[in-house]
């Protein structure tokens, strides 16, 4: 005979030939307080069930030595009250029907939700205990009956037992509080008194279906529906059903929980998510929330549309799936932010759009933290700067073209910034004024102007930058330039404003002239350009 299971911690037997899945399930359930054992074959599972009592078995249908549907009746033969949760990767209706008709407590399809699994195991353990206590009560074991009543009465959830006709047999304190009826008012009454009228016909048909087929359709499944209080008010409940037969009589157990607060919280969460999404979509940049595993948790519409997808299609996805070529680089930047806890700003990088086009973005990555300050992932803002990059490239190409033209020009050419500094001088200009090209760079253009007119020249330069435009100077009067050796010579100057990557500048072309006879008296009084 198997030894009794621990009353302190419910025991679970995991039966799965996949070692990794079995290990994950073991750790998941052990973490929440269950005693967990693992079997990898059907034969090993049967042997373990014979050696001790388990509160619940999680049984994979596909096993190497025998089908899980074969193992199920063997386990039930050892312990008829043992809840067995069937798990399979093949979620077809016939398999589910076969498992439930063989007496499985519940059915889960892989990949399963861990919270759903834990909830199902928790309910199975509760039903296992209740079933054992109910069977003991029917055998008139007074001590067991008292223990059963204590468990039921102290349970935080409403627990209602009914017979095959749907008449209430047991009604705990939580049920009294939930529905407003004392036990004396409901014992022997039909279950329909605590359900809205619209559910009653379906309920009666379900009872008839169980009587005819023995199949409880929603066994082991959390059902969301509405309950009816004594005062006539409806409220949302979550219902878990189980059924068993004792002395050729069928009994039902329903565990009910008021989920009003939970539904309100879920509604608030949905509202907050909608509001947050609306705010995210208003941001004129691509925005992602990513975790430490490079998975996208939230994104705005602009980010999704950049790869021709919807927000729903990319949330929860790995960056490796969406940006296979760039994902590793993105992840390394993310990890740098997560590990250091410091933002990384101004990252310029390429990404591939949904059509395959490569575009440039400037990205800022900042850590986001939980309430305790622990870094959970990164918040990413990315601006598409493709047009700006193209404009900069075009401007650089244009500047390079102008530089080549200026270098090869036989006339003197200089670029002067707003502060009056020479930022470019070609060889012809340097030779004209007797300097080496490198000597002129960074010098004030006043170096090329006779000292007597420099103050006036500075005013001319400020006026030109205030009202820029193309000008020709030196035709109506003689302008003088100053060589390095101190000698002066007449010049004619052309000015033109020029936008460059370094800002607004003026381009000056300077040629030496021979003064016309009518202008000799003005020689030496003119000034150089800005």
């Amino acid at each position: 005979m198997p030894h009794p299971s621990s009353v302190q911690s419910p025991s679970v037997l995991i039966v799965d030939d996949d070692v990794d899945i079995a290990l994950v399930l073991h750790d998941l359930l052990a973490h929440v307080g269950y005693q967990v054992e693992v079997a990898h074959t059907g034969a090993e599972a049967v042997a373990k069930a014979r050696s001790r009592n388990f509160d619940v078995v999680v049984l994979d249908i596909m096993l190497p030595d025998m089908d899980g549907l074969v193992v199920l009746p063997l386990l039930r033969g050892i312990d008829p009250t043992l809840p067995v949760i069937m798990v399979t990767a093949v979620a077809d209706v016939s398999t589910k029907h076969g498992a439930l008709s063989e007496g499985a407590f519940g059915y889960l399809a892989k990949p399963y939700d861990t919270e759903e699994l834990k909830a199902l195991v928790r309910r199975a353990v509760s039903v296992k205990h209740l079933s054992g206590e109910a069977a003991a009560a029917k055998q008139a074991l007074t001590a067991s009956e008292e223990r059963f009543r204590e468990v039921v009465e102290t349970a935080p959830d409403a627990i209602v037992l009914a017979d095959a006709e749907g008449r209430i047999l047991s009604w705990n304190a939580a049920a009294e509080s939930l529905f407003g009826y004392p036990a004396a008012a409901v014992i022997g009454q039909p279950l329909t008194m605590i359900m809205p009228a619209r559910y009653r016909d379906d309920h009666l048909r379900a009872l008839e279906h169980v009587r005819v087929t023995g199949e409880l359709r929603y066994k082991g499944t959390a059902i969301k529906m509405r309950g009816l209080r004594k005062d006539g008010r409806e409220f949302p409940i979550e219902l878990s059903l189980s059924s068993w037969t004792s002395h050729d009589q069928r009994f039902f157990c329903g565990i009910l929980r008021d989920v009003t607060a939970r539904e309100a919280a879920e509604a608030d969460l949905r509202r907050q998510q909608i509001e947050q999404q609306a705010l995210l979509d208003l941001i004129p940049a691509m925005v992602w929330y990513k975790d430490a595993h490079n998975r996208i948790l939230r994104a705005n519409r602009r980010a999704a549309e950049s790869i021709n997808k919807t927000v729903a299609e990319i949330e929860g996805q790995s960056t490796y799936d969406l940006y296979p070529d760039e994902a590793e680089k993105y992840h390394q930047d993310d990890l740098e932010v997560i590990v250091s806890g410091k933002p990384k700003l101004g990252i310029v990088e390429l990404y591939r759009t949904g059509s395959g086009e490569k575009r440039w973005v400037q990205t800022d990555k900042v850590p986001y933290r939980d309430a305790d300050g622990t870094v959970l992932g990164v918040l990413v803002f990315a601006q598409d700067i493709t047009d700006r990059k193209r404009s900069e490239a075009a401007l650089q190409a244009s500047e390079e073209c102008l530089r080549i033209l200026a270098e090869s020009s036989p006339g003197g050419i200089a670029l002067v910034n707003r502060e009056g500094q020479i930022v470019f001088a070609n060889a012809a200009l340097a030779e004209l004024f007797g300097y080496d090209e490198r000597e002129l760079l960074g010098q004030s253009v006043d170096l090329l102007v006779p000292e007597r007119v420099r103050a006036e020249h500075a005013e001319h330069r400020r006026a030109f930058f205030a009202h820029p435009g193309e000008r020709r100077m030196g035709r109506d009067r003689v302008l003088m330039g100053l060589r390095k050796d101190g000698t002066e010579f007449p010049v004619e100057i052309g000015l033109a404003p020029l936008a460059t990557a370094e800002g607004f500048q003026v381009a000056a072309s300077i040629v030496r002239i021979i003064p016309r006879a009518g202008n000799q008296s003005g020689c030496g009084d003119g000034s150089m350009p800005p």
Side-chain angles (χ1 to χ4, degrees), residues 101-328:
S101 64
E102 287 293 332
F105 177 83
Y107 184 96
L108 283 176
K110 298 178 182 178
Y112 43 77
D113 181 84
T114 56
E115 291 304 317
E116 182 181 0
L117 173 65
K118 288 191 289 185
L120 194 54
V121 169
R122 187 167 58 248
R123 294 188 184 101
V125 168
S126 297
V127 170
K128 173 70 164 68
H129 292 169
L130 290 174
S131 298
E133 295 291 352
K138 281 296 181 179
Q139 296 171 7
L141 299 176
T142 305
S144 295
E145 185 177 83
E146 289 302 320
R147 288 197 302 271
F148 166 74
R149 288 176 180 171
E150 182 66 19
V151 169
V152 171
E153 286 301 314
T154 58
D157 293 332
I159 299 176
V160 180
L161 301 183
D163 63 16
E165 302 301 321
R167 291 187 296 266
I168 298 172
L169 300 176
S170 176
W171 183 262
N172 72 345
E176 291 185 358
S177 175
L178 189 61
F179 289 95
Y181 291 102
V186 297
I187 297 299
Q189 298 299 317
L191 287 167
T192 51
M193 71 181 297
I194 60 171
M195 63 181 67
R198 61 184 178 278
Y199 294 139
R200 293 170 185 172
D201 288 343
D202 287 341
H203 166 70
L204 295 174
R205 282 192 291 268
L207 285 177
E208 181 62 24
H209 177 80
V210 175
R211 280 194 292 268
V212 172
T213 67
E215 177 188 354
L216 183 62
R217 290 175 179 171
Y218 299 109
K219 185 175 182 178
T221 303
I223 308 166
K224 288 186 177 180
M225 56 186 301
R226 310 285 290 185
L228 183 66
R229 290 193 171 98
K230 181 181 179 181
D231 61 10
R233 288 183 297 127
E234 292 187 15
F235 64 104
I237 60 173
E238 185 176 82
L239 168 65
S240 295
L241 286 174
S242 64
S243 176
W244 70 95
T245 301
S246 178
H247 300 292
D248 297 325
Q249 295 185 53
R250 180 171 289 276
F251 299 91
F252 299 97
C253 176
I255 301 176
L256 306 96
R257 175 174 296 177
D258 185 348
V259 293
T260 302
R262 189 176 77 189
E263 287 196 352
E266 290 172 349
D268 285 343
L269 179 59
R270 287 192 296 270
R271 177 181 54 78
Q272 291 173 9
Q273 289 175 334
I274 291 171
E275 292 173 353
Q276 290 171 1
Q277 190 64 49
L279 291 173
L280 283 175
D281 290 342
L282 288 175
I283 298 174
M286 294 174 279
V287 182
W288 298 266
Y289 285 87
K290 297 163 67 180
D291 65 14
H293 304 292
N294 219 16
R295 187 170 59 247
I296 296 171
L297 304 179
R298 293 292 300 274
N300 70 348
R301 187 173 61 247
R302 191 180 295 263
E305 290 176 349
S306 71
I307 53 175
N308 295 338
K309 294 185 180 294
T310 65
V311 170
E313 287 175 325
I314 68 172
E315 287 186 344
Q317 297 295 312
S318 168
T319 307
Y320 287 97
D321 296 327
L322 300 174
Y323 306 93
D325 295 337
E326 300 89 2
E328 184 59 31

Side-chain angles (χ1 to χ4, degrees), residues 404-418:
I404 293 172
L405 290 173
E407 287 287 1
S408 60
S409 172
I413 295 178
L415 286 181
V416 179
N417 64 19
R418 190 180 292 272

Side-chain angles (χ1 to χ4, degrees), residues 448-450 452-453 456-457 460 472-482 488-493 510-529:
L448 308 180
V449 178
R452 63 183 176 278
V453 294
E456 179 185 356
H457 177 257
H460 288 324
R472 299 295 300 178
M473 302 174 63
R475 291 184 174 180
D476 54 348
R477 64 175 180 150
V478 176
L479 300 178
M480 302 300 292
L482 178 65
E488 299 181 8
F489 63 100
V491 294
E492 187 172 288
I493 304 166
I510 305 172
V511 295
R512 180 179 180 181
I513 61 171
I514 297 175
R516 290 177 287 277
N519 286 337
Q520 291 296 323
S521 61
C523 184
D525 294 331
S527 66
M528 279 289 291

